[in-house]
Amino acid sequence: MTDSATTSPAQDHVLIFDTTLRDGEQSPGATMTHDEKLEIAEMLDDMGVDIIEAGFPIASEGDFNAVKEIAQRSKNSVICGLSRANFKDIDRCFEAVKHAAQPRIHTFIGTSPLHRAIPNLTKDEMAEKIHETVTHARNLCDNVQWSPMDALRTEHDYLFRVIEIAIKAGATTINIPDTVGYTIPRESADLIAKIRANVPGADEVIFATHCHNDLGMATANSLAAVEAGARQIECTINGLGERAGNTALEEVVMALKVRNDTMPYATGIDTTKIMGISRRVAAVSGFNVQFNKAIVGKNAFAHESGIHQDGMLKNAETFEIMRPEDVGIAGTSLPLGKHSGRAALRSKMTELGFELADNQLNDLFVRFKELADRKKEVFDDDIIALVQVEAGQADADTIQLKRLRVICGTDGPQEAELTLTIEGEEKSIDATGDGPVDAAFNAVKMLYPHNARLQLYQVHAVTEGTDAQATVSVRVEEDGRIATGSSADTDTVVASVKAYISALNRLIVRREKVAPGGDNKEINYKDMH
């Protein structure tokens, strides 16, 4: 194993090889369009990924064109294409990547007994094929990566032999894939160390690790390989990939950043761009990120427990090993729920613009707990409603729906005739839009001009049948303030407008409670129990 105290700065740099556009897209259902691939490649290039495996050029005309255009557009990253161990694949791969400022050919063949049996090659026949194909790739391109697929289940003596052949044939990077996600960290490290100790010429190439997550240890196996001397990690955004996926880029990068004391290896990744690309890949691939996913999950920087929330309010380092800002998140979240304590509730009240005395907070806390026992999560609007009810301040809504009539069908544009009561005064208008809901929302905004941005619009049917009652949820945002509204009606457009108006009314309340640059307002409770 390499002693980090004796390695050179160049050895201490770990290259990040992203294969989201190749292995990640192989996740069933994760196919991306041409433009989406170009967009993701640009984001990867911008965030500092060293090598982008842009696709498998021989797979289809679409894949070839995407790799070719990514190669032409790339500014910083090495652009790599994958090819099987035959001249036709390799030629097609080079034709696609040769336009890059820094092209790479990545060729592979399965070397384990199971994979040797598929083409029915003897060890000697496969060794000769490796020599021929790697030589052919190197004659086309100075940057050649070779992978013995299923390396972790290949006999060690044969693995050492074919790696030596690939190095002598001109491979500059040797990737050691755990193709089926079978290994554990100790084995991953041991194999890299053994290869480096037993293969002539090993000190002349970069060793890479490509780990699948079938047993949930891809990141751990990759980091173990790095400690043993690997200096390239193959990974994907959000861990996308075949079956259970791959090593997740965000996990290894942040692990190296956070644990720099014991793993002093650097990457060139701009970590503040991680959350942005994670969300974009989730959107274009259709694979939502699980809430408790490390680094990029919704709950990665969320704390509900009263003990944790109290600690976070006093010193964020008590329960967070990294800053949310480091991965591109605005800040820590302290969602209120049944496990939350008084400290979190007081912090939330201050954030919403309310200053409470201790006895007021205690009374509110009792009612908050009662509500939290009935709901999975208590939102800002719930808290405001509790305060208003307890303080006897539940005023009539500023905006009320008086009348709505829409005209829709195949002949557009669709129209909405709307009458609202705004602060007691009736106002009417006609508006058009792309569909009846859009027309109705346009009418609302014309009657009550505002700068709130619609963040969410969802419709759910409560019952079955054409007469089902629709429940509509709306979320709007204005200057960092978020408000939600919901309504139910057998008329979906009516439910939509009511939900939109409800969200605006709640936003008005929040706007009044916390005016930009204004002071927090103290609540004078009436009829406190």
Side-chain angles (χ1 to χ4, degrees):
M1 186 175 294
T2 303
D3 182 352
S4 62
T6 62
T7 57
S8 69
Q11 289 175 310
D12 285 342
H13 183 85
V14 175
L15 300 171
I16 299 299
F17 177 112
D18 185 274
T19 182
T20 301
L21 298 176
R22 199 277 298 170
D23 199 331
E25 203 198 17
Q26 290 175 200
S27 300
T31 301
M32 303 177 200
T33 68
H34 180 85
D35 288 342
E36 288 169 347
K37 289 181 180 180
L38 297 183
E39 179 187 0
I40 297 303
E42 184 176 352
M43 295 177 77
L44 292 169
D45 191 47
D46 182 56
M47 77 186 295
V49 165
D50 298 284
I51 306 103
I52 300 172
E53 189 166 53
F56 199 165
I58 197 71
S60 70
E61 195 66 24
D63 228 31
F64 175 86
N65 290 332
V67 175
K68 180 179 178 180
E69 191 164 351
I70 289 168
Q72 292 170 330
R73 291 185 174 206
S74 63
K75 298 176 181 178
N76 306 303
S77 304
V78 173
I79 303 302
C80 175
L82 184 68
S83 68
R84 292 166 297 188
N86 65 68
F87 289 3
K88 183 179 179 181
D89 269 40
I90 293 169
D91 290 343
R92 189 64 169 164
C93 179
F94 182 65
E95 189 65 26
V97 302
K98 70 180 183 180
H99 304 279
Q102 302 178 79
R104 174 183 290 191
I105 295 173
H106 177 194
T107 184
F108 74 97
I109 192 169
T111 55
S112 71
L114 284 167
H115 286 272
R116 290 199 304 269
I118 295 173
N120 194 29
L121 294 175
T122 66
K123 289 182 177 180
D124 288 343
E125 289 171 337
M126 178 168 283
E128 180 60 26
K129 190 177 184 69
I130 291 167
H131 170 73
E132 292 175 351
T133 53
V134 174
T135 299
H136 183 69
R138 182 56 190 265
N139 286 336
L140 296 172
C141 183
D142 290 339
N143 192 334
V144 175
Q145 175 169 317
W146 179 74
S147 293
M149 186 166 64
D150 205 17
L152 270 294
R153 296 191 297 178
T154 300
E155 308 93 327
H156 284 185
D157 58 345
Y158 186 63
L159 184 62
F160 300 158
R161 175 187 171 190
V162 291
I163 290 174
E164 181 182 0
I165 289 172
I167 293 173
K168 287 182 177 179
T172 51
T173 298
I174 303 294
N175 176 45
I176 306 300
D178 180 18
T179 305
V180 294
Y182 177 74
T183 195
I184 59 177
R186 183 186 68 251
E187 292 175 346
S188 178
D190 285 350
L191 183 56
I192 295 293
K194 288 177 180 177
I195 291 170
R196 296 181 68 221
N198 289 280
V199 174
D203 58 341
E204 301 172 6
V205 298
I206 292 173
F207 282 94
T209 179
H210 180 117
C211 299
H212 279 261
N213 204 39
D214 296 72
L215 295 178
M217 290 184 279
T219 296
N221 289 333
S222 295
L223 293 174
V226 167
E227 290 195 278
R231 287 298 177 266
Q232 176 179 297
I233 297 178
E234 303 204 356
C235 47
T236 60
I237 301 296
N238 299 338
L240 278 181
E242 292 273 9
R243 304 181 311 280
N246 292 281
T247 300
L249 178 147
E250 59 275 7
E251 293 176 6
V252 291
V253 168
M254 292 310 296
L256 293 176
K257 183 181 180 74
V258 171
R259 294 306 308 271
N260 196 252
D261 54 340
T262 56
M263 293 187 294
Y265 313 112
T267 73
I269 298 295
D270 181 351
T271 62
T272 64
K273 299 182 185 296
I274 283 177
M275 184 56 69
I277 194 170
S278 169
R279 290 173 177 169
R280 189 58 188 143
V281 167
V284 301
S285 69
F287 278 58
N288 292 330
V289 178
Q290 66 194 57
F291 281 13
N292 62 334
K293 175 80 166 63
I295 316 299
V296 293
K298 177 183 176 181
N299 293 343
F301 294 92
H303 309 262
E304 185 186 319
S305 160
I307 295 173
H308 284 237
Q309 290 178 336
D310 185 55
M312 286 296 299
L313 290 168
K314 293 172 180 175
N315 184 345
E317 292 183 6
T318 54
F319 291 108
E320 284 186 352
I321 59 172
M322 66 195 88
R323 300 183 309 165
E325 295 86 354
D326 290 342
V327 297
I329 303 176
T332 293
S333 170
L334 301 180
L336 295 178
K338 68 178 182 179
H339 301 108
S340 300
R342 284 177 175 79
L345 181 59
R346 182 183 291 280
S347 175
K348 174 58 69 174
M349 296 309 300
T350 301
E351 177 188 326
L352 294 175
F354 300 107
E355 288 297 337
L356 277 65
D358 289 344
N359 64 320
Q360 294 172 331
L361 179 69
N362 291 337
D363 287 335
L364 183 65
F365 185 69
V366 172
R367 285 155 184 80
F368 159 72
K369 281 290 191 178
E370 291 173 354
L371 178 63
D373 279 335
R374 301 194 303 269
K375 296 191 65 177
K376 288 182 179 293
E377 184 175 346
V378 179
F379 297 99
D380 292 358
D381 293 332
D382 297 315
I383 299 296
I384 292 173
L386 280 179
V387 173
Q388 290 178 322
V389 170
E390 289 301 325
Q393 296 179 346
D395 300 323
D397 288 336
T398 300
I399 311 170
Q400 297 179 7
L401 175 63
K402 184 73 174 180
R403 178 179 177 274
L404 172 66
R405 180 174 179 269
V406 296
I407 301 173
C408 59
T410 56
D411 298 328
Q414 285 69 43
E415 300 177 34
E417 301 172 3
L418 179 68
T419 300
L420 298 178
T421 301
I422 302 175
E423 295 181 337
E425 180 184 353
E426 281 193 14
K427 297 182 178 182
S428 301
I429 202 166
D430 294 350
T432 60
D434 185 12
V437 173
D438 186 52
F441 280 22
N442 287 340
V444 172
K445 191 166 185 178
M446 291 168 70
L447 289 176
Y448 183 79
H450 58 84
N451 295 319
R453 184 173 62 90
L454 183 66
Q455 284 192 327
L456 173 74
Y457 171 77
Q458 288 183 334
V459 180
H460 302 283
V462 178
T463 58
E464 296 180 356
T466 56
D467 61 346
Q469 179 168 264
T471 296
V472 177
S473 299
V474 167
R475 182 169 66 232
V476 296
E477 181 271 334
E478 178 189 66
D479 297 330
R481 291 185 288 267
I482 296 175
T484 60
S486 63
S487 183
D489 198 284
T490 53
D491 187 316
T492 304
V493 182
V494 172
S496 300
V497 173
K498 286 182 177 179
Y500 189 35
I501 291 173
S502 174
L504 290 175
N505 280 319
R506 291 180 173 184
L507 191 63
I508 291 168
V509 172
R510 296 198 62 185
R511 189 191 296 159
E512 292 171 350
K513 293 299 180 185
V514 193
D519 295 329
N520 291 338
K521 298 180 180 179
E522 183 173 348
I523 298 301
N524 296 314
Y525 276 73
K526 301 176 182 177
D527 301 323
M528 290 295 292
H529 300 290

